[in-house]
Amino acid sequence: MGADAGAERSVELSRRSSSSYDESDVRVRPGKSSRPRTKTRPQHNDAEAAMVVSVDRGRWGCVLDGDPQRPIVAMRARELGRTPIVVGDQVDVVGDLSGKPDTLARIVRVGDRRTVLRRTADDTDPFERIVVGNAEQLFIVVALADPPPRTGFVERAMVAAYAGGLQPILCLTKHDLAAESDFAAAFDDLDLVIVYGGVDDPLEPVNALLDNKLTALIGHSGVGKSTLVNRLVPDADRAVGIVSGVGKGRHTSTQSVALPLPAGGWVIDTPGVRSFGLAHITPDDVIAAFTDLAAAIEDCPRGCTHLGPPADPECALDLLPGKERRVAAIRMLLTALISNESWQRPAPAD
């Protein structure tokens, strides 16, 4: 019956002229919502501080107040969008903070990073990736044999550390296989701290450098990095790779993870790397890390790469008295910054 009445009204309206319509003839469909839109976001004044210790497929493992006994799992709040969150970040979390199985908190803020370790896929890739946030030190783990060391990788890792505000430390393993190696001598003029961390080396010197610090470990696969982590953190439960092929290691750590040290502090075990691009770093970034040289480059001509003659015949670094060896050592880092050939490690053969 209602349908017939509607049809009759439609016929009646079609016979009337448009000038005879009034507001009673107009039907207005109600809107979906009368609630006004707003850009106001919640303040989350009750949020608690936490440190990110792991990242895995949209879920972040955190520890409340940096306490390894208070772990939680969190997701990224919608208002953060695609804000990158990495291991070492200081964050604020809300929601279920009990840490019980199947509970999920939300990360609502990411604190400013004091230091940043960045890399690009290669030197032609403009997109930089943040590897670790807020680390105080970068432990560069290098084997003196099997696989053989390459100074280029150490130099590029040092460049990334200096540019990001981290203190680089060179940790040498497997020196029992190359006891007479003079590899470390290449870095004598860079004030680089060097320590031995092989299976048969005592851990006390390593612990003295790591305790109460947040330290990122980086190195090629197969150099003994995960073995070192298992010695430092006995219950770390990290896989220890077996070197296969001709000096090529298999990746044994697939995700970065922060592990608490028994005496305090954290080590961040990062995946074994095959590439370490530095497209995001300029020569001035490197020089700025050396306070005894940083002021001098203000007198360099525009576009100076600080490599000296013949590329930069007017580089102000050449005018510093008594700094010849120091400048030469830093130019070694700058050469590594622009050259990709001496450090790349091919992927293991299947």
Side-chain angles (χ1 to χ4, degrees):
M1 190 172 199
D4 293 340
E8 291 176 1
R9 180 168 177 80
S10 297
V11 172
E12 179 185 350
L13 290 175
S14 65
R15 292 173 179 173
R16 293 167 55 187
S17 64
S18 59
S19 61
S20 65
Y21 292 161
D22 59 25
E23 60 271 12
S24 64
D25 296 316
V26 179
R27 296 182 62 187
V28 179
R29 181 175 297 175
K32 294 182 179 179
S33 174
S34 59
R35 182 178 178 182
R37 300 187 65 182
T38 176
K39 292 185 178 180
T40 303
R41 295 290 182 261
Q43 296 298 313
H44 298 300
N45 294 324
D46 59 340
E48 290 196 31
M51 184 181 82
V52 177
V53 296
S54 64
V55 182
D56 185 17
R57 292 169 294 185
R59 295 291 182 264
W60 286 263
C62 306
V63 290
L64 297 174
D65 293 324
D67 184 353
Q69 302 303 317
R70 301 179 64 194
I72 62 170
V73 177
M75 61 179 286
R76 180 170 46 199
R78 179 176 296 179
E79 59 261 34
L80 291 182
R82 299 180 65 85
T83 301
I85 304 174
V86 299
V87 173
D89 274 346
Q90 296 293 325
V91 297
D92 289 340
V93 292
V94 299
D96 192 334
L97 306 183
S98 66
K100 295 179 181 179
D102 300 323
T103 60
L104 195 62
R106 296 195 326 277
I107 297 174
V108 295
R109 279 187 293 270
V110 181
D112 294 335
R113 299 181 179 103
R114 299 183 300 275
T115 67
V116 180
L117 178 64
R118 295 183 174 95
R119 61 179 283 267
T120 55
D122 55 50
D123 284 349
T124 62
D125 183 4
F127 181 73
E128 62 186 54
R129 297 159 180 83
I130 301 174
V131 181
V132 171
N134 298 311
E136 300 163 82
Q137 305 179 133
L138 180 63
F139 230 56
I140 308 166
V141 184
V142 175
L144 291 174
D146 194 25
R150 299 187 180 184
T151 59
F153 172 74
V154 178
E155 292 159 2
R156 294 173 73 86
M158 290 175 65
V159 167
Y162 287 134
L166 290 76
Q167 176 64 43
I169 298 172
L170 178 59
C171 179
L172 300 176
T173 65
K174 304 184 184 180
H175 78 280
D176 55 316
L177 301 179
E180 303 302 322
S181 173
D182 58 355
F183 178 78
F187 310 100
D188 284 347
D189 296 302
L190 291 172
D191 301 329
L192 180 63
V193 176
I194 300 175
V195 66
Y196 290 97
V199 175
D200 298 323
D201 296 312
L203 275 181
E204 288 78 8
V206 177
N207 283 327
L209 294 170
L210 300 183
D211 286 348
N212 300 310
K213 303 273 190 180
L214 180 58
T215 305
L217 275 65
I218 189 172
H220 286 304
S221 295
V223 299
K225 180 169 55 67
S226 291
T227 303
L228 175 61
V229 169
N230 284 334
R231 293 183 67 201
L232 294 168
V233 188
D235 58 348
D237 195 28
R238 304 292 282 173
V240 179
I242 299 176
V243 173
S244 60
V246 183
K248 301 173 184 176
R250 295 289 185 181
H251 282 246
T252 56
S253 304
T254 58
Q255 298 286 341
S256 294
V257 60
L259 302 166
L261 294 168
W266 296 78
V267 291
I268 301 176
D269 188 12
T270 63
V273 296
R274 296 190 186 120
S275 64
F276 203 90
L278 300 174
H280 58 290
I281 296 177
T282 67
D284 284 4
D285 293 331
V286 179
I287 302 294
F290 298 89
T291 55
D292 57 332
L293 303 179
I297 65 173
E298 295 179 3
D299 297 325
C300 287
R302 179 178 298 182
C304 182
T305 59
H306 313 302
L307 292 174
D312 302 295
E314 299 180 12
C315 181
L317 294 179
D318 291 316
L319 303 179
L320 297 175
K323 296 284 187 179
E324 292 80 8
R325 291 187 58 181
R326 176 83 159 169
V327 169
I330 290 172
R331 283 175 173 165
M332 177 179 69
L333 297 183
L334 297 177
T335 300
L337 176 62
I338 63 175
S339 173
N340 229 5
E341 297 177 357
S342 62
W343 68 277
Q344 284 182 325
R345 185 171 303 285
D350 291 331

